Amino acid sequence: MAENEKARLKEMTCELKLYNRKAKAQFTDRTRRPDYSVDFFGEVKPFADHVQHLIDSWRPLAETWVREDHPEYVYPIQIKDTYDNLSIICVTAFQKDTRRRRFLEMIKSIDYVLDNILEDLRVDQG
């Protein structure tokens, strides 16, 4: 994989980490409050659309990187699962009936894979 593609993968992975943190903060700091009222078109849709666009660009790049560079701790199934989990949390972060434990475990799982990608990219470039 070309260095410019690896740089793009790193940039997108960092951005996904940021959106993962934003989803967690939304859920823990706002959605769980009794007085919270969701604004679908003002909050949920723009957030979910942006995350979906980002992961749709990120996934093929990440899959190519895994296939070509054979990172030590990242596997193709993790890319697929992370993609699926990110597409779920970007919406469930705004839903009052979301199960707290399941949501937070999904956040941790996403962070784990994204951190491993960043670490493997750092080691590869260093």
Side-chain angles (χ1 to χ4, degrees):
M1 174 177 260
E3 289 304 313
N4 65 331
E5 290 175 314
K6 287 182 185 179
R8 180 77 179 124
L9 176 60
K10 182 178 180 181
E11 177 185 310
M12 293 171 81
T13 302
C14 287
E15 192 174 350
L16 287 174
K17 278 190 60 67
L18 175 68
Y19 278 97
N20 197 40
R21 280 196 300 274
K22 285 182 179 182
K24 181 181 179 187
Q26 167 64 39
F27 182 73
T28 58
D29 300 343
R30 298 184 64 219
T31 303
R32 303 289 290 183
R33 290 195 327 229
D35 62 334
Y36 177 71
S37 175
V38 68
D39 176 4
F40 181 78
F41 290 104
E43 288 181 301
V44 182
K45 186 165 177 20
F47 186 82
D49 285 350
H50 186 78
V51 171
Q52 192 64 49
H53 175 73
L54 184 59
I55 61 177
D56 285 343
S57 301
W58 171 83
R59 183 178 179 176
L61 204 55
E63 289 174 337
T64 299
W65 173 70
V66 169
R67 193 173 45 256
E68 292 179 5
D69 287 35
H70 308 289
E72 193 170 356
Y73 299 112
V74 183
Y75 301 96
I77 190 69
Q78 291 173 299
I79 301 300
K80 179 203 172 298
D81 290 347
T82 301
Y83 174 91
D84 292 343
N85 288 343
L86 280 160
S87 66
I88 292 167
I89 63 123
C90 69
V91 174
T92 58
F94 296 89
Q95 297 174 343
K96 284 189 168 290
D97 63 347
T98 297
R99 289 196 202 126
R100 180 180 175 81
R101 183 174 178 179
R102 178 169 161 69
F103 180 84
L104 295 177
E105 289 299 322
M106 207 175 289
I107 293 286
K108 282 185 203 173
S109 175
I110 292 165
D111 267 339
Y112 177 80
V113 174
L114 296 179
D115 286 341
N116 278 335
I117 291 170
L118 292 172
E119 179 61 23
D120 279 344
L121 286 168
R122 187 186 65 74
V123 167
D124 186 46
Q125 291 173 346

